[in-house]
Amino acid sequence: MIGGALSISALIGTFVAFNNDSSSSSSWGSLALLLVALALFPVGIALLLYQGENGRLRLRRQARRKARRAAKHPESSEPMAAESGSKKKGRLFRIGAFLLLVGAVLLTVAYLLSGFALFFLGLPGFILALSGLIALVVSL
């Protein structure tokens, strides 16, 4: 629900920024509104599609996979659960490291280019680096 509200507000903000009469206000205000709207839209879509840990579709998919694995390997259903936890931690560590590196590269490029690159590359770089750092800390 929050994702839908953010997406709609981003679309409305983009519409307002494009249809803003530039004679009554400065063009910097409409540009700032456009940048905020463009930053809110992917966040809203991501929140809209996020299922959470107890999502119905996720629980159904996990039950189907567990049933298939049990049918293929009836004797080794318990050890696979212990191995999958360590695999998830390793995968989370790799994803976190990748996000941190991509965020650092974007921040470096934004710093070198300066100007509007700080908005277009710096903000996503900061968000990626922060999410990568959080993923790395969680995986340890």
Side-chain angles (χ1 to χ4, degrees):
M1 192 133 105
I2 294 171
L6 281 176
S7 299
I8 293 293
S9 64
L11 290 174
I12 291 171
T14 305
F15 180 73
V16 168
F18 277 123
N19 292 325
N20 193 7
D21 187 20
S22 50
S23 63
S24 64
S25 66
S26 69
S27 62
W28 291 106
S30 62
L31 182 63
L33 180 63
L34 180 65
L35 288 176
V36 169
L38 289 177
L40 277 180
F41 189 69
V43 173
I45 294 296
L47 285 174
L48 191 62
L49 298 176
Y50 179 69
Q51 289 183 8
E53 292 199 19
N54 295 325
R56 289 180 294 162
L57 296 176
R58 180 183 305 247
L59 291 176
R60 284 186 203 160
R61 184 174 55 241
Q62 287 175 348
R64 281 194 311 264
R65 287 180 183 168
K66 188 175 181 181
R68 265 189 259 139
R69 286 183 186 140
K72 286 183 182 178
H73 307 287
E75 68 280 348
S76 64
S77 61
E78 283 299 317
M80 288 183 68
E83 290 176 12
S84 68
S86 63
K87 285 182 182 178
K88 284 183 181 179
K89 290 283 187 177
R91 194 167 114 194
L92 184 63
F93 184 81
R94 285 192 307 253
I95 290 171
F98 177 74
L99 287 175
L100 186 63
L101 288 174
V102 168
V105 167
L106 282 176
L107 281 171
T108 304
V109 169
Y111 176 72
L112 292 175
L113 293 177
S114 69
F116 285 114
L118 289 174
F119 286 116
F120 291 116
L121 298 176
L123 184 62
F126 178 73
I127 292 170
L128 285 175
L130 186 64
S131 60
L133 185 64
I134 291 170
L136 281 175
V137 169
V138 167
S139 71
L140 295 178

